[in-house]
Amino acid sequence: MSTKMEKTILSLAAERTADKLQEFLQTLNRDDLTNHLQNQAVKGRNVGAFLRAVFKGSPCSEETGTLRRHKIYSCCIELLESGTLQKEVASEIIGLLMLEAHRFPGSVLVELAKDFVNAIKEGGTLETGKSLELLPIILTALATKKENLAYGKEELNGEECKKQLINTLCSSRWNQKYVIRLTSMFKDVPLTAEEVEIVLEKVLSILCKLNLQEIPALVYQLLVVSSKGNRKNVLERMIAFFNELDKKYNDEQSGDKLLDLVTMPSNELRHVEGTIILHIVFAIKLDCELGRELLKHLKAGQQGDSSNLCPFSIALLLSLARIQRFEEQVFDLLKTSVIKSFKDLQLLQGSKFLQKLVPHRTCVSAMILEVISHSVHCWDHVTQGLVDLGFILMDSYGPKKILDGKTTETSSGLSRMPSQQACKLGARILLETFRIHEMVRQEILEQIFNRVVTRATSPISHYLDLLSDIITYAPLVLRSCSSKVTETFDFLSFLPLQTVQGLLKAVQPLLKLSMSMRDSLIIVLRKAMFASQLDARKSAVAGFLLLLKNFKVLGSLSSSQCSQAIGASQVSVDVHSRYNSVANETFCLEIIDSLRRCLGQQADVRLMLYEGFYDVLRRNSKLASSIMQTLLSQLKQFYEPKPDLLPPLKLEACILTQGDQICLQEPLDHLLCYIQHCLAWYKSRVMPTQQGDEEEEEGFYQDLDDMLESITNRMIKSELEDFELDKSADFSQNNDTGIKNNICASLVMGVCEVLIEYNFSISNFSKNKFEDVLSLFMCYKKLADILSEKAGKGRTKMAHKTNDSLLSMKFVSDLLTALFRDNTPSHEESLSVLRASTEFMRYAVSVALQKLQQLKETGHVSGPDGHNPDKIFQNLCDITRVLLWRYTSVPTSVEESVKKEKGKSISLLCLEGLQKIVSAVQQFYQHKIPQFFKALDGTDEEADGDVSITQRTAFQIRQFQRSLLNLLSSQEEDFNSKEAVLLVTVLSSLSKLLEPSSTQFMQMLSWTSKICKENSQEDASFCKGLMNLFFSLSVLYKSPVTLLRDLSQDIHGQLGDIDEDVEVEKTDHFAMVNLKTAAPTVCLLVLGQAEKVLEEVDWLITKLKRQGIPEPPSGKRSSEEASSQIASANDPTEKAVIMQLGTLLTVFHELVQTALPSGSCVDTLLKGLCKMYTTLTALVRYYLQVCRSARGIPKNMEKLVKLSGSHLTPLCYSFISYVQNKKSNNSTLTGEKKKKTAAVSTAMARVLRETKPIPNLIFAIEQYEKFLIQLSKKSKVNLMQHMKLSTSRDFKIKGNILDMVLREDGEDEDEEGTASEQEGQKKEPPRKKQKK
């Protein structure tokens, strides 16, 4: 029966008209049609033709046709959801239903859509979800219906019905199985902006409920839907979601909505995040507006507290950088965020006030490093961005060259500057990326080598450090790009010496692995040895010395260790073969032979060679014989062998005359210096290990000993006349004789120092030897006195080389220990010879100071082991112990009461040395500070391991506090200003090591406060140092504004009022503020601190502005809630800002009434006032922004505005008049005295400079008042009732006064101009002053 029915229907459908078909279908029961359709479809038969025929015979123009069509449509949907249909049959049915949907009347479409919504709400009736493909077609068709349709109890048009259906759908619960299909469905439905927001809000709320694997597909559909609008919300919510997910994963939290996600393996979460980032970047490629919204959102966060940045968003940005149009914007954003993060951190670390208000946030640098660690999970799309970011940070914030040729780079010290931290972050990014990702290693290395070669004139130490770290991490990786390394070697002759040394030191491990690379370097160095440029020859020497130090003879341990980790056959053969030890020895001897040719070159090259030989000798002891023989033969050229001939050295041969130029050819003093160090090391290390059969090799050391002994004896016998360097000699730099004598004097003094060290080291505390040492010192001192006397008479100072002592740091340490701390009875008699000479002891301490100054400036010292940080640190500890004992045992006051010699006392020199040491240790040995204090205490690390740095520091601080108190309690005429300043500097340095939360810190703060309150020293430099210490401690405890207020009152009381008729009552908060220190010393310090406080307040206001902009929510109620939440969150910060500004306002209230002297105080005060009004304006603008969200102005803000109007603005205009009157009077005096034109010009320049800030201040006041008027209108509060507008605003140039000063003949015009100025001032409203 059913088959016959189908044939009839199909035959009738083939006719041109559908009348007969309609009639036939009306005769049939609708259930017959649906049953037949179900049977045929389930059996997998073609039902398309049957469906088309039924739809053709069921026109929507007839009610029965519509009902039949509806019945069939619903039946098809049920079939699709049953899951029993074959794929081809289901596809055909869906295609037909899509085509027929537009023909339904609106009422049927509403019913069909409701069926879908109900099915989704119930969740169980949808089995496969295939029918959901029809819903967007139905909704789209419904939206086109203009007529009113019954929807519940209402009559709505098609568009409104669609909106209601979407609302109902989005308010219902979705089965997780169909979330992605439902989201995908909406991309085909035309949606209004409101509907887009509803849909996206629904989908985003489901995001956290899905399984991790389902999220990428949903995010992709979300991005597609967001192209209809509301992109920003989608990006914000996704970034926030993954940020929260990362945090919860890292914290290993459980028991909340994200439990399933958090317990997922790490690599799965990272893979999902990587996929999502790819989806977002792909969506941005198709829709650039999405990329612009992302950048806009992240930049908005940057203006506040960078809360929008997280590891996920940073990874997203780095992937986005692959799109060319966004590349520059992305890196600018990241670079700015990094430097801002470091600046904010620096600001927070330096202010307890800010630390209490602002919670600690993760630094952007930590987020970037987290991205690198995540990128191991196939985040290849991030790696290129990481490489580019690393180089951008290093390029932008690396060390810079400054005017005098030096660079701003620091050595191993702790980098506290934001730019230095950003540069170090760039290097770390590149190093970590290099470790993780093989694909970018080649590029990183190429870029480093390119910068080393192409930036020869710029400081590149940071790139060389990075290269060294990379090579240390993976030397074998660089063997694959050896061609790039050898190509770089070709440029060695053209690079600065410092760059060459750094580069060769970095690539040194590679030279042991690759014979070809080593051979290439040797060829380049041999060519450079004969280059015309001096730097090229010095580079060749540096390179050869490096090879000598690192290729040890007889197969040293380091070579075999290095080879064991290498699998390359060629390298294994090179290192393990028996030929290696012989080859190394031959190789090193060839290099020494090449270096001997340098002994005929310039003094700088020879000096480098001598210094290098000493380092080689200690690293490669088997070369000792060759090196010592070389040095011996060189010394013999300048040595007088006859034992009775004076002087013992041929100084004339050391000086070269070329035409009209005279220069040093042989640095004989340095040659002797390194000979004696080599000899000492050889005798102490090599000779004890030698066997009897090696005695014949020891001849050279005996020869050297004899020569040094002979030189010593004859130098003692020699007079200055023997060197032609007596008082009658010419030491000017204007003629050849003077230059020659200066060079000779430098050599003689250097030789004396070398011999002093040699004789002391071999003396074994012999009295005769110490007498020789003292005799050598007297020779040195005579010459030094002559040179000093000549220089004091206006002659040019001698060459700089004579300023550098040739004594080694180790010897200085030993000498000071012997002079001041050696209590051994057997040494007493011999040491008394040296201790009897105060000049010698002062000389020993002075050399120590010179070494310490070198260390502070360069990070190393001259002489042997001067570049070895560990040995320098050990010497520092030893020297510190001696200097500290000497200073505390023999106070300066005691020593000065008995001393007769000129110059600084030894105790004062010791204190100066201690100050330099404490500074140097903090700069270069921050990580060794615990060992430093343990060395000073002389305690064992294990026995005293629980004592903190703060406790050790406090112990040392107490010693210096006692010294300062003793100094302050002495008579006024005995007060030593220099010693007091040094003590305060030491205390300042040590106080930085105290933990701010410790009791020791509080004791230090209260002690400093007490000193400032009870002592009234009039020395400006001591006052400045002490007040700086007080401020630096105070800011780490609390805000210094109350302290500034007290100081400003003291300054006002000491200097008086700008109105001479007003008598100011003196306050005595701080005795340190007196008539001599109040201005400019204390005044400038107060203003400097006030500026810092204003910077902190400015920073907080900017942060408040960012937090005070709630995102526009969907409803009015939620907007009010958001505003109230922000208000409650910002309330403590707002109060703190207003309190700070209120107290600062009282500070300026006092200072602006003070009769400050002309000069820097007035200028700085005017600038400070300008900054104050700018900050007040920023706060007013913040409240303008807050008023938009229906919030009022707090009462304390109204009080602050009232205070500014009554206590500051009127006084500012009075102070301006005071300044202008003072300048006018100064100009009059200048004209009366008829000074020279140059002096007048200087005075006028100063006048113009000091009055320049006045118009800026007026503008700042008027801007403040302008925004106050706007805020008054917004808030309905009259904030201007206490503001009085001034009429003193005439800043025209008074030509008559100017002419009078410049021509010096306009006295009448001067009087006229002054009178007119006074008349103008009388127009000002009278001001009332209260007596203090």
Side-chain angles (χ1 to χ4, degrees), residues 469-653:
D469 291 339
I470 287 175
I471 292 174
T472 304
Y473 169 71
L476 284 178
V477 173
L478 270 82
R479 289 187 65 239
S480 60
C481 57
S482 58
S483 59
K484 188 67 183 175
V485 179
T486 53
E487 182 185 330
T488 307
F489 287 161
D490 293 337
F491 295 96
L492 287 184
S493 300
F494 308 102
L495 297 178
L497 177 62
Q498 192 175 3
T499 301
V500 173
Q501 289 175 320
L503 177 61
L504 293 179
K505 186 178 178 182
V507 302
Q508 174 263 320
L510 300 178
L511 302 177
K512 292 183 177 180
L513 303 183
S514 173
M515 295 287 284
S516 60
M517 200 179 294
R518 191 189 76 179
D519 293 341
S520 299
L521 176 61
I522 290 171
I523 292 171
V524 170
L525 294 178
R526 281 178 176 162
K527 288 180 182 177
M529 186 76 79
F530 302 100
S532 57
Q533 299 89 357
L534 177 62
D535 268 2
R537 297 198 295 279
K538 290 168 79 172
S539 297
V541 172
F544 278 133
L545 289 170
L546 183 83
L547 292 172
L548 284 177
K549 281 189 281 188
N550 290 288
F551 283 86
K552 297 195 176 181
V553 178
L554 298 179
S556 63
L557 182 63
S558 60
S559 297
S560 61
Q561 283 178 334
C562 182
S563 64
Q564 287 168 6
I566 298 165
S569 59
Q570 179 62 45
V571 178
S572 298
V573 169
D574 286 345
V575 179
H576 282 302
S577 66
R578 300 178 72 183
Y579 168 74
N580 187 55
S581 60
V582 181
N584 271 0
E585 185 170 10
T586 307
F587 170 68
C588 290
L589 291 174
E590 284 180 4
I591 291 178
I592 291 178
D593 191 47
S594 296
L595 287 174
R596 284 195 183 104
R597 300 170 190 171
C598 296
L599 295 174
Q601 296 194 10
Q602 283 93 337
D604 287 347
V605 179
R606 299 185 193 190
L607 176 56
M608 179 181 284
L609 186 59
Y610 301 152
E611 186 175 351
F613 272 160
Y614 176 67
D615 292 333
V616 170
L617 187 68
R618 291 178 305 155
R619 296 284 297 275
N620 215 342
S621 58
K622 295 298 179 182
L623 300 175
S625 179
S626 299
I627 290 174
M628 298 293 279
Q629 290 287 3
T630 302
L631 293 174
L632 176 60
S633 62
Q634 184 71 2
L635 178 59
K636 284 180 178 178
Q637 297 179 36
F638 308 96
Y639 173 70
E640 289 286 2
K642 296 179 182 179
D644 299 327
L645 196 61
L646 299 178
L649 299 169
K650 303 173 185 176
L651 297 186
E652 293 285 342

Side-chain angles (χ1 to χ4, degrees), residues 9-10 13 18 21-22 25 33 37 47-62 64-77 92-104 108 112 134:
I9 290 172
L10 291 174
L21 178 60
Q22 292 175 24
L25 289 174
L33 288 172
L37 180 61
V47 295
F50 176 72
L51 276 174
R52 277 191 289 271
V54 172
F55 284 136
K56 184 178 180 181
S58 306
C60 293
S61 55
E62 297 179 5
T64 54
T66 303
L67 293 173
R68 190 184 308 115
R69 181 183 281 262
H70 187 188
K71 181 74 174 177
I72 294 292
Y73 211 94
S74 299
C75 176
C76 288
I77 291 173
E92 188 177 19
I93 291 174
I94 289 173
L96 282 169
L97 296 182
M98 284 181 176
L99 292 172
E100 295 297 329
H102 288 281
R103 296 175 183 170
F104 279 110
V108 177
L112 287 171
L134 298 171

